[in-house]
Amino acid sequence: MMIKLMRAALAGVGLMFVASCASMVTGGPLVRPGEPVGAIDVYNGSSATVTSVLISDCSASTYGLNRMPEGTTIRPGQSYRFTVSAGCWDIMAGYGMSNGYAAARDRIQVQPNRVTPWGVR
């Protein structure tokens, strides 16, 4: 009985550890409950189509996952708006080029109730 309790406790601790790391890998939620929000307007000023936009909290260990809805792209001259909590965000956009694939990245500060423009050139 004691061994079963010990295993269950270790499994619970393991799950808590994995859950806490998940937001670090995925970049965390774009809107955190109870926080003021703003927006990031991603503009495509390049001649290629943007196929992925990764946005993560500045404290995350990675850029996270693609935040674009499945099948959505940003064509040259177009933009896409993401609602996010106000604060520091790391952003990276990937787009196809004639000689391969390129990425633009930056660290931006989003103000509450404001739209922060960010673009790929």
Side-chain angles (χ1 to χ4, degrees):
M1 183 69 169
M2 183 62 105
I3 292 176
K4 286 183 181 181
L5 280 173
M6 187 81 108
R7 284 183 183 163
L10 285 173
V13 169
L15 282 174
M16 288 187 329
F17 178 75
V18 168
S20 68
C21 290
S23 70
M24 296 296 283
V25 172
T26 64
L30 293 179
V31 177
R32 296 178 292 267
E35 293 187 13
V37 297
I40 302 171
D41 217 16
V42 178
Y43 175 75
N44 183 359
S46 77
S47 59
T49 299
V50 172
T51 56
S52 62
V53 176
L54 288 66
I55 303 173
S56 66
D57 185 279
C58 289
S59 65
S61 60
T62 70
Y63 277 96
L65 306 174
N66 184 8
R67 303 297 185 143
M68 298 283 288
E70 188 174 335
T72 302
T73 60
I74 308 172
R75 296 187 183 279
Q78 293 182 332
S79 63
Y80 190 89
R81 183 169 291 175
F82 295 89
T83 300
V84 298
S85 288
C88 182
W89 293 94
D90 287 325
I91 184 167
M92 181 167 60
Y95 51 100
M97 301 293 288
S98 59
N99 59 351
Y101 197 74
R105 62 189 65 145
D106 207 354
R107 178 166 278 189
I108 60 175
Q109 196 69 33
V110 175
Q111 301 301 318
N113 305 311
R114 300 263 165 100
V115 175
T116 304
W118 184 81
V120 175
R121 309 236 180 267

